[in-house]
Amino acid sequence: MSSTAELRGTAAPLEKTPLETYVPPAKPSLIGLSRAELAERLGEIGVPPRQQKMRVQQLWHWIYFRGARSFDEMTSVSKETRTDLAERFTVDRPEVVAEQISNDGTRKWLLRLPSGDALQKAHEVECVYIPETDRGTLCVSSQVGCTLNCAFCHTGTQRLVRNLTAGEIVGQVMVARDRLNDWADRETPHGNRLVTNVVMMGMGEPLYNFDAVRDALLIVSDNEGIGISRRRITLSTSGVVPNIARAGEEIGVMLAISLHAVRDELRNELVPLNRKYPIAELLQACRDYPGASNARRITFEYVMLKGVNDSLDDAKLLVKLLKGIPAKINLIPFNPWPGSRYECSDWEQIEKFSEYVFNAGYSSPVRTPRGRDILAACGQLKSETEKLSARERQALRAMAMTD
C-alpha cells in the first residue's frame, strides 16, 4: 500500500461547473411544482383565480397521493380543464430504461431524464430501493455527475453534467412507487407503505443543488401527498458548510456528513472540499444544526481505507472530535473500483475501530452491501466508464439504517 504522502499527488480542484443546463420539454411535466407554481400554470390555461386553490388541491391529490400517470385519470377535475392541461403539460416521470431485482429484494432502476434539446445526449441517473423488515429505503440522486472530486469516489472522476430539477428528484420517488404499486390508494402485500425512507445519497452533492433539493423534499414530505416524514428523509453532504444551516431551517430533514477523515491534511486529499470548509468549521455547523438532538442524531459516514484512516488513533480522534454532537457513525468497508488507489481495511481492523467507537458511546455499525447479485451498489446498469462511485456504494450500505 502506498503511503498517504504518495497517494496525495496533485491537488484536485475543489469544485466543477456544470457542462449543461436543463432544457424543459415542449410539454413540461407538472411534477416538482409548488402549489403556487401549479396555480400559475392553471392561470395560464384560463382557470379563474377564484377556482385555482380548489383545482391545485385536486391536482396535488391526484399527482402525489394517488400517483396519476395522466390527466384522464383525474376524474374529479372537469373534462374541459383536463383537456386544457393535457394540451400544455404532462405528469411524466423519468423513464425507466432498465430494472434489476436482487435475490434479497433490492431493486435498481436506470432512469432517463427528458430534455427539450434534441441535440443533447439523454441524461441518466440511477435510483436504488432497499427493503428491510421494518422499512423500505430509496436512494435518490441530485445531480448528473457530481460537483466534487473526492479521491476515493468514482463519480468524482466524472464530469458534472448538470443539476437535476425538483421534478426530476421527486420523479425518482414517484417511479419507485409506480414500480412497487405503492400509492396510498392501493394495497401492498403487508398493508404498509413500501417506500418509507428517502436518502439523498445517490449521484451528486445535494447542497450544491440546494433549491431543487429543498423544493423536492418539501413535496416528498408533504402530508397531503407523498407524505414521507422529514425524520425519515436523510440528506448526505460532503460538507457544504453555508448550506448546512439552511438545510435545517428550510428543509428540516435528517443530516448525514461524509466525513472519512479526522485530520485536515488527510481530508484535504480524500474530500478536497475540506480545503474550503475544514473539519472544525464543518463540525461547528453540525453542532449548530437546527433540530439536532439524541432523537435526531447526525450520521457521520466513514469509509474504511487500509492504512489511510483506519488506525485506533483515528478512532480516538474521531470520538474526540464528535464530542457534544448527537451522532452515530456508519463505518463503510471500501469497495475498490477500477483504477482506485485505495484498498479496503482488513476486517479485523474495522472491528477494532468499531469496538472503540462503540465503547465510547456511539452507535458504530459496519454496513454491508445489499443487492450484490445485481451489482446494485456498483452502477453496472450504466456504461463501464460511468459506474456509480464509492460514495454511492457506501451510501447504499448505510441508507437502510435511517432512524
Side-chain angles (χ1 to χ4, degrees):
M1 181 69 187
S2 302
S3 69
T4 299
E6 290 172 331
L7 290 173
R8 195 161 290 117
T10 304
L14 297 187
E15 301 154 13
K16 309 181 197 117
T17 55
L19 298 177
E20 299 177 21
T21 56
Y22 172 72
V23 179
K27 289 174 63 172
S29 177
L30 295 181
I31 291 172
L33 300 184
S34 67
R35 286 181 173 84
E37 290 169 328
L38 281 176
E40 290 177 12
R41 302 303 182 273
L42 288 169
E44 291 173 8
I45 63 168
V47 175
R50 66 181 181 277
Q51 294 184 20
Q52 288 175 10
K53 184 176 181 180
M54 177 190 69
R55 294 301 185 201
V56 165
Q57 287 303 103
Q58 289 176 326
L59 288 174
W60 198 270
H61 176 81
W62 281 104
I63 295 171
Y64 297 123
F65 187 82
R66 301 174 71 97
R69 303 292 299 270
S70 72
F71 296 112
D72 287 342
E73 298 176 41
M74 303 181 185
T75 51
S76 62
V77 180
S78 71
K79 188 171 183 180
E80 180 184 3
T81 300
R82 281 184 276 156
T83 300
D84 292 342
L85 284 168
E87 288 177 356
R88 295 279 300 275
F89 307 107
T90 72
V91 284
D92 289 348
R93 300 87 151 103
E95 175 192 356
V96 177
V97 178
E99 176 183 53
Q100 287 184 300
I101 304 175
S102 167
N103 292 330
D104 64 19
T106 299
R107 296 183 182 227
K108 182 171 66 167
W109 297 288
L110 177 64
L111 306 178
R112 182 167 296 148
L113 310 174
S115 170
D117 186 347
L119 301 177
Q120 188 182 78
K121 179 183 176 183
H123 300 147
E124 295 174 346
V125 293
E126 287 187 336
C127 182
V128 176
Y129 169 71
I130 296 183
E132 297 285 338
T133 55
D134 61 343
R135 75 194 72 194
T137 303
L138 187 71
C139 181
V140 173
S141 295
S142 58
Q143 296 179 314
V144 183
C146 186
T147 302
L148 302 179
N149 298 276
C150 299
F152 60 88
C153 172
H154 198 167
T155 296
T157 68
Q158 299 173 20
R159 61 183 189 160
L160 170 63
V161 179
R162 68 171 174 88
N163 288 330
L164 299 187
T165 67
E168 290 169 337
I169 296 169
V170 175
Q172 294 171 65
V173 181
M174 299 182 75
V175 164
R177 286 216 160 155
D178 289 343
R179 304 296 286 202
L180 297 168
N181 199 35
D182 188 38
W183 292 101
D185 63 335
R186 295 163 216 178
E187 289 296 320
T188 60
H190 51 62
N192 298 317
R193 296 276 62 81
L194 300 178
V195 178
T196 63
N197 295 52
V198 169
V199 289
M200 295 299 307
M201 293 180 180
M203 297 178 70
E205 166 52 64
L207 293 188
Y208 273 127
N209 187 16
F210 184 90
D211 289 352
V213 168
R214 175 198 59 208
D215 295 349
L217 293 184
L218 291 179
I219 291 172
V220 170
S221 62
D222 189 286
N223 287 332
E224 294 181 351
I226 294 173
I228 296 176
S229 165
R230 295 183 193 188
R231 293 190 63 173
R232 289 181 171 269
I233 300 173
T234 299
L235 186 154
S236 176
T237 176
S238 293
V240 186
V241 167
N243 283 343
I244 289 177
R246 285 188 68 195
E249 293 162 357
E250 299 180 33
I251 311 175
V253 296
M254 307 295 283
L255 180 67
I257 302 293
S258 293
L259 187 61
H260 310 307
V262 292
R263 297 173 178 83
D264 280 321
E265 180 184 11
L266 176 59
R267 195 165 190 269
N268 288 346
E269 170 202 325
L270 297 179
V271 186
L273 184 66
N274 194 75
R275 303 203 299 268
K276 189 172 184 179
Y277 306 115
I279 291 173
E281 192 174 338
L282 172 59
L283 295 183
Q284 188 58 50
C286 293
R287 290 185 175 90
D288 297 338
Y289 187 70
S293 65
N294 285 331
R296 300 189 65 182
R297 293 175 293 169
I298 295 173
T299 299
F300 289 87
E301 299 157 356
Y302 197 94
V303 64
M304 301 298 292
L305 303 172
K306 184 175 182 179
V308 176
N309 66 352
D310 61 352
S311 71
L312 281 183
D313 285 342
D314 290 309
K316 292 174 183 177
L317 185 51
L318 176 61
V319 167
K320 184 177 179 180
L321 286 173
L322 297 186
K323 186 175 182 180
I325 301 175
K328 65 177 180 178
I329 298 116
N330 278 342
L331 302 179
I332 303 107
F334 177 61
N335 189 2
W337 39 271
S340 169
R341 49 191 177 171
Y342 300 103
E343 300 174 24
C344 181
S345 303
D346 295 332
W347 192 254
E348 182 180 358
Q349 188 63 25
I350 295 175
E351 290 185 328
K352 288 179 180 177
F353 194 105
S354 175
E355 183 180 14
Y356 182 89
V357 174
F358 178 80
N359 288 338
Y362 293 95
S363 172
S364 56
V366 179
R367 300 301 177 220
T368 53
R370 295 283 302 274
R372 285 180 181 270
D373 55 318
I374 61 167
L375 300 168
C378 300
Q380 290 292 318
L381 285 177
K382 303 187 76 174
S383 73
E384 288 296 309
T385 58
E386 291 186 347
K387 293 179 182 178
L388 283 187
S389 67
R391 171 180 162 79
E392 276 86 71
R393 287 198 293 270
Q394 54 96 353
L396 295 176
R397 295 183 179 100
M399 67 174 65
M401 302 305 294
T402 308
D403 280 338

